[in-house]
């Protein structure tokens, strides 16, 4: 039995793939991974940029779209391609969705990063994508910005599945959890809603480790590579408290599920750290971990299986307190990470459109000569 299947069956954690491209969808790669225990997939502008620029798999659908409308703009072309990918992935994942009664089997699709600070536009685009993909096992990725929270509440109230992304702090996670409860309380059929809160991991260590290096000294060095995991474990404790709370239990009686924590950005950025540390140290029930292909392969090769989310809690709290005593404001760094994350997705979105513009020109030239 694969490690990721064991994670689900014995530890209650679902593994989703943080990658999607046309090759994976058309050549049974996703089906094979599902047979090995994969429970869902996620995408974002960075992933799509790599997918379209790194292969010819999109050439034929680009040609078809150009033939249907040769004046189609790059933004619309981009949307059509990602919608097609999402539809194909959702269809392949449907057996997981059905057998898990809607717990897993999802594909996540992101709203434009350019509207991350606009509630009304986020709601409008999320509704549009929900209708365009037209699959019940779609999740709309909504950044957990201050503007993203009211948008999330409204979308959940309308029965639209939401994946809240770019979470870096426990404080913002608490706000997301409260938003989820308000949203499902307004929903007509909460049993049909699924949602996850995507807590980013490795980026926290990258940011904090840099600040610790500036401080120097043995106490600072001892905290390197520890804060992201400590931060996630504290968030998980809040999740447990939320599920046990009266407001959630009231919604649970109406059929609502917990909004599961999802560990994102789980590839290890520092080569001095284990390549599976953000998988091994965040294992626990009612959670999701999204792994890029290289991390998934590494975990299957040598990952250690044991429950870890609820261990070392006192040490985790102590690490976070020590960080504050050293003068590092994790909340402030989390705000920086949120803004950096939005900018990175903006850059990737722009790069994807530029690559698409180059690709459509080459495709048009090639097929015109045939």
């Amino acid at each position: 039995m694969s490690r990721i299947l064991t994670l689900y069956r014995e530890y209650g954690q679902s593994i989703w793939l943080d990658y999607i491209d046309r090759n994976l969808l058309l050549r049974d790669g996703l089906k094979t991974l599902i047979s090995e225990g994969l429970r869902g997939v996620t995408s974002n502008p960075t992933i799509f940029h790599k997918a379209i620029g790194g292969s010819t798999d999109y050439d034929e659908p680009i040609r078809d779209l150009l033939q249907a409308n040769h004046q189609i703009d790059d933004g619309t072309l981009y949307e059509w391609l990602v919608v097609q990918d999402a539809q194909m992935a959702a269809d392949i994942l449907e057996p997981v969705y059905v057998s898990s009664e809607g717990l897993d089997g999802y594909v996540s699709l992101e709203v434009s990063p350019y509207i991350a600070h606009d509630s009304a536009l986020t709601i409008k685009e999320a509704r549009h994508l929900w209708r365009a993909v037209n699959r019940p096992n779609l999740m709309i990725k909504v950044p957990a910005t201050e503007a993203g929270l009211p948008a999330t509440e409204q979308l959940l109230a309308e029965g639209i599945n939401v994946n809240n992304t770019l979470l870096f702090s426990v404080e913002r996670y608490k706000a997301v959890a409260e938003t989820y409860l308000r949203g499902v309380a307004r929903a007509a059929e909460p049993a049909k809603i699924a949602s996850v809160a995507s807590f980013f991991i490795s980026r926290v260590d990258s940011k904090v480790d840099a600040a610790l290096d500036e401080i120097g000294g043995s106490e600072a060095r001892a905290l390197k590579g520890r804060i992201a995991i400590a931060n996630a474990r504290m968030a998980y404790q809040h999740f447990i408290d939320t599920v046990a709370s009266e407001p959630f239990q009231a919604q649970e009686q109406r059929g609502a599920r917990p909004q599961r924590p999802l560990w994102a950005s789980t590839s290890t950025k520092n080569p001095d750290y284990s390549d599976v540390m953000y998988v091994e140290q965040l294992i626990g029930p009612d959670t999701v971990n999204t792994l890029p292909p290289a991390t998934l392969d590494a975990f299957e090769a040598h990952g250690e299986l044991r429950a870890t989310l609820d261990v070392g809690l006192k040490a985790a709290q102590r690490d976070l307190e020590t960080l504050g005593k050293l003068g590092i404001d994790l909340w402030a760094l989390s705000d920086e990470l949120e803004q950096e994350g939005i900018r990175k997705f903006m850059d990737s979105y722009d790069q994807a459109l530029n690559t698409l513009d180059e690709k459509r020109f080459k495709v048009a030239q090639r097929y015109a000569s045939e």
Side-chain angles (χ1 to χ4, degrees):
M1 186 164 59
S2 71
R3 281 179 167 83
I4 62 172
L5 187 56
T6 302
L7 277 178
Y8 176 69
R9 290 183 176 177
E10 298 185 13
Y11 297 92
Q13 182 175 74
S14 298
I15 296 298
W16 294 1
L17 182 69
D18 193 22
Y19 187 78
I20 186 173
D21 66 15
R22 199 62 63 99
N23 177 64
L24 184 74
L25 300 171
L26 294 178
R27 295 173 178 81
D28 291 338
L30 182 56
K31 288 183 180 179
T32 299
L33 289 172
I34 290 170
S35 71
E36 295 170 352
L38 191 75
R39 312 277 306 164
V41 297
T42 60
S43 185
N44 59 51
T46 303
I47 290 172
F48 185 73
H49 172 236
K50 292 178 180 177
I52 195 169
S55 75
T56 60
D57 293 319
Y58 291 87
D59 289 11
E60 187 171 338
I62 289 172
R63 180 200 62 179
D64 293 342
L65 290 167
L66 290 176
Q67 287 180 337
N69 177 12
H70 68 278
Q71 293 182 328
I72 189 171
D73 63 88
D74 291 336
T76 304
L77 186 58
Y78 172 93
E79 181 185 301
W80 271 107
L81 293 173
V82 297
V83 164
Q84 288 175 352
D85 279 0
Q87 289 174 329
M88 285 188 282
D91 290 344
I92 295 169
L93 284 160
E94 184 182 16
V96 179
Y97 175 75
V98 173
S99 64
S100 68
E101 298 182 336
L103 177 68
D104 283 311
Y106 291 93
V107 55
S108 291
L109 186 59
E110 195 141 10
V111 298
S112 169
Y114 279 97
I115 58 174
H117 298 298
D118 190 314
S119 300
L121 285 179
T122 295
I123 293 170
K124 181 179 179 180
E125 182 165 333
R127 288 170 176 163
H128 169 68
L129 291 173
W130 180 255
R131 290 192 296 266
V133 176
N134 193 28
R135 300 293 191 277
N137 53 332
L138 173 72
M139 276 191 181
I140 304 296
K141 279 188 171 184
V142 176
T145 59
E146 291 183 3
L149 297 184
T152 295
E153 180 180 338
Q154 180 60 36
L155 294 170
L156 291 169
E158 295 176 13
I160 296 174
N161 305 319
V162 174
N163 177 346
N164 280 128
T165 65
L166 293 177
L167 270 166
F168 298 97
S169 71
V170 176
E171 289 78 7
R172 182 59 58 84
Y173 171 65
K174 290 178 179 179
V176 167
E178 292 170 1
T179 298
Y180 175 72
L181 289 175
R182 290 194 301 269
V184 295
R186 294 171 52 197
E189 297 181 282
K192 294 184 177 181
I193 298 172
S195 183
V196 294
S198 294
F199 210 85
F200 281 52
I201 308 300
S202 65
R203 295 189 193 181
V204 172
D205 269 344
S206 296
K207 175 72 74 171
V208 171
D209 283 1
L212 290 169
D213 283 338
E214 290 184 6
I215 293 172
S218 59
E219 196 171 30
R221 286 194 298 272
L223 290 181
K224 291 186 63 176
R226 296 176 60 88
I227 297 303
I229 291 169
N231 200 35
R233 286 177 176 169
M234 291 300 102
Y236 185 67
Q237 291 306 300
H238 183 72
F239 164 75
I240 292 173
D241 292 342
T242 299
V243 171
S245 69
E246 290 184 9
F248 175 74
Q249 291 178 354
Q251 297 311 314
E252 188 175 36
Q253 291 178 359
R254 298 179 62 227
R257 293 187 179 89
Q259 182 194 45
R260 291 182 294 174
L262 180 152
W263 314 126
S265 182
T266 52
S267 61
T268 306
K269 305 297 190 292
N270 190 329
D272 294 333
Y273 301 158
S274 164
D275 56 357
V276 292
M277 66 181 286
Y278 298 126
V279 188
E280 291 179 336
Q281 296 301 313
L282 297 173
I283 297 174
D286 299 314
T287 60
V288 179
N289 200 326
T290 55
L291 309 184
T295 305
L296 178 61
D297 291 343
F299 185 71
E300 280 296 339
H302 54 260
E304 183 179 346
L305 290 161
R306 61 187 179 92
T308 50
L309 263 175
D310 58 354
V311 301
L313 297 180
K314 290 184 179 179
Q317 185 62 50
R318 198 161 50 242
D319 286 345
L320 294 171
E321 291 172 356
T322 303
L323 188 73
K325 291 176 182 178
L326 289 173
I328 297 177
D329 186 339
L330 188 55
W331 170 256
L333 293 184
S334 297
D335 186 60
E336 289 179 18
L337 283 165
E338 178 184 290
Q339 299 309 313
E340 289 171 5
I342 293 169
R343 285 196 299 272
K344 286 179 180 178
F345 282 151
M346 286 180 178
D347 291 343
S348 293
Y349 179 78
D350 291 342
Q351 290 167 3
L353 291 187
N354 290 335
T355 299
L356 194 55
D357 189 59
E358 296 171 0
K359 175 80 74 170
R360 68 184 289 169
F361 179 74
K362 293 178 181 177
V363 168
Q365 275 193 322
R366 183 164 66 252
Y367 286 109
S369 64
E370 292 180 355

